[in-house]
Amino acid sequence: MSTTLPAALPDLHPVPSGDAARTYLVKTLGCQMNVHDSEHMAGMLEEAGYVAASPAQAADEDADVIVINTCAVRENAADKLYGNLGRLAAAKRARPGMQIAVGGCLAQKDRSGIVERAPWVDVVFGTHNLDVLPALLERARHNAAAQVEIEESLKVFPSTLPTRRESVYAGWVSISVGCNNTCTFCIVPHLRGKERDRRPGEILAEVEALVSQGAIEVTLLGQNVNSYGVEFGDRGAFARLLRATGAVPGLERVRFTSPHPAAFTDDVIEAMAQTPTVMPQLHMPLQSGSDRILRAMRRSYRSEKFLGILDRVRAAMPDAAITTDIIVGFPGETEEDFAETLRVVEASRFSSAFTFQYSPRPGTAAFDLPDQLPKAVVQERFLRLTALQDRISHEENRAQVGRTVQVLVAETEGRKDGSTHRVTGRAADNRLVHLALPADASDAPRPGDLVTVEVTHAAPYHLVADSALTGGTFLVRRTASGDAWDRRRTGTDEHSHGGAGDACGTGGPTGPVVLGLPTLVRR
């Protein structure tokens, strides 16, 4: 359904000539796909003449336009949205002309009900029509009425839209949108539609464009990346895409998320092991260790197949770190079923796990299943599972002590870095590493630089590398990404827009890189 809107208004622009540029803030709730969608929303707004709110303005939610990009996977998704909207209602009353837009999965699901419940919302748009955001904002201003537009199928492939990248050194690259699976607990296929695959040339063009702007890491993104190619009849396409992406000159790290165990094939393992730039890291969703529950979830694999995949991955890449998703308390789950999950988790030796209590979602097949479990039972099992995974994660991280790792320094991941005098980044296997700087470090690493250090301490969910304090290993390799970060920080990057200052000549700090439709770099 597409809510009827007035005809397109001629000669209207989101930021009329002569007006001060309006500021915007995009708030993201949800998964990596939502994060990347938010980058597209920001890119479209900047192309339309808006400027990003400064960090101080963002912290105060002080912007002319605030966009909330929603998630609908968990039961508390609506609570998060309306909690945000309730808080913003007062801000809007105090700020004439302020606009609030809601997009993403919950907008696709609830549609005009959002405006009915929160009539101060100006714009509601769905997952299939991100491109309409600037036009809907202007129509809402012009008509002084809320605008709702929801499409049932994809109109514009998101990756063709302008993109305001949050990082100059690492970027998301969508290889597909939507999902063809029918997992009974999942509402994503209903909200994002059937899988649509991008052509390999388009993907590689975007990767090349990112590298030309300074990125040295990309993550290939899809709801089910290893089914890539089915739409155009090539079941080996994902393995070949991994190899081709890994061969892009200047790219140093390739990751992907998320695969599905049922479609995960040995040619992908071979491509990972044989392509040096593909990192030894894999996110493989388990969901349950019980074959009976997997069947009820319509997950078309069983626990032994899952464990077999992990065995083959580790045979090819002994140092691979494997993470997962697990749901506790699916309808009808017995203590015996849960014990099977604990067994598989113990055998899998995940470096970390995203664990969830089952959340009933209207519109999913599991919503109407009998034997919904009491909250107390689910909570007790959840605590047992997280305690087990905490122990395993700590054991696996303690095995890293003494190893030499190369860390890609990040900009914001270490919340305590200021007090601990460390910087933070990710090792090749995606483990979080906090690393100390030598006392006389005259050439401190920048975000985007690579630092080789020795792991000295381990916690369940991060590593500490203080080797620089004892005269141990500490080698900084300055990279094109670090150079790009410097240009962005100093306002000398001609490709940057937004931020607290004006990237077009006032010398203020700039915002992340904006890329439009990518083209291949000619070498």
Side-chain angles (χ1 to χ4, degrees), residues 7 54 64 82 116 200 221 262 319 338 341 365-366 461 468 485 518:
S54 70
D64 295 307
Y82 291 107
E116 292 169 4
L221 185 64
D319 294 329
F338 180 66
T341 294
Y461 294 104
W485 183 85

Side-chain angles (χ1 to χ4, degrees), residues 28-41 69 105 130 158 172-178 188 192 221-225 257-258:
T28 308
L29 309 175
C31 66
Q32 298 98 325
M33 192 71 74
N34 274 24
V35 172
H36 193 33
D37 283 349
S38 290
E39 292 183 330
H40 295 312
M41 295 173 194
N69 187 12
C105 289
L130 305 183
W172 306 103
V173 176
S174 290
I175 69 172
S176 63
V177 295
V188 168
R192 290 193 177 267
L221 185 64
Q223 300 294 155
N224 179 8
V225 290
T257 194
S258 291

Side-chain angles (χ1 to χ4, degrees), residues 181-432:
N181 293 316
T182 58
C183 303
T184 57
F185 57 81
C186 186
I187 198 169
V188 168
H190 174 66
L191 300 179
R192 290 193 177 267
K194 293 293 186 181
E195 182 173 324
R196 294 276 303 276
D197 294 335
R198 295 176 73 190
R199 291 289 170 169
E202 296 174 359
I203 296 166
L204 294 173
E206 185 174 353
V207 173
E208 290 238 18
L210 278 169
V211 173
S212 74
Q213 298 296 327
I216 61 173
E217 176 179 301
V218 298
T219 300
L220 303 179
L221 185 64
Q223 300 294 155
N224 179 8
V225 290
N226 54 313
S227 67
Y228 172 76
V230 171
E231 185 183 12
F232 48 84
D234 184 356
R235 293 186 177 275
F238 183 60
R240 285 192 288 276
L241 179 64
L242 274 182
R243 294 179 188 272
T245 303
V248 170
L251 188 61
E252 302 203 28
R253 292 185 170 192
V254 179
R255 306 186 191 277
F256 60 89
T257 194
S258 291
H260 192 292
F264 199 78
T265 50
D266 287 348
D267 61 337
V268 174
I269 299 174
E270 292 170 3
M272 294 175 67
Q274 295 170 7
T275 309
T277 49
V278 176
M279 295 292 96
Q281 173 241 334
L282 178 66
H283 184 75
M284 182 65 74
L286 169 63
Q287 306 302 1
S288 175
S290 163
D291 290 349
R292 192 181 72 84
I293 294 299
L294 288 172
R295 192 174 297 109
M297 289 177 167
R298 290 187 199 151
R299 301 284 288 180
S300 48
Y301 57 89
R302 300 297 174 255
S303 60
E304 291 312 304
K305 177 174 181 175
F306 183 92
L307 291 170
I309 292 171
L310 271 51
D311 287 343
R312 295 195 297 279
V313 168
R314 287 181 170 130
M317 294 169 287
D319 294 329
I322 300 175
T323 57
T324 197
D325 299 328
I326 304 172
I327 296 172
V328 176
F330 188 81
E333 181 189 75
T334 65
E335 182 61 29
E336 291 73 21
D337 293 321
F338 180 66
E340 280 295 285
T341 294
L342 297 180
R343 177 188 69 83
V344 175
V345 168
E346 185 75 69
S348 297
R349 307 299 297 176
F350 299 117
S351 60
S352 65
F354 297 93
T355 52
F356 306 94
Q357 298 184 37
Y358 169 72
S359 183
R361 307 304 294 131
T364 64
F367 184 73
D368 296 320
L369 287 178
D371 300 324
Q372 303 279 335
L373 273 61
K375 173 68 174 176
V377 172
V378 177
Q379 175 70 12
E380 190 273 337
R381 290 178 184 171
F382 177 79
L383 293 175
R384 273 193 282 158
L385 174 62
T386 54
L388 171 62
Q389 185 56 53
D390 286 349
R391 173 178 64 77
I392 293 170
S393 295
H394 203 180
E395 290 170 355
E396 292 297 304
N397 277 358
R398 281 200 295 264
Q400 303 296 310
V401 174
R403 289 190 61 194
T404 298
V405 297
Q406 189 176 64
V407 178
L408 175 58
V409 176
E411 188 167 14
T412 59
E413 289 206 75
R415 290 174 294 178
K416 298 181 181 179
D417 284 352
S419 58
T420 61
H421 305 291
R422 294 187 176 100
V423 296
T424 294
R426 296 278 173 174
D429 63 7
N430 211 36
R431 283 183 166 93
L432 190 67

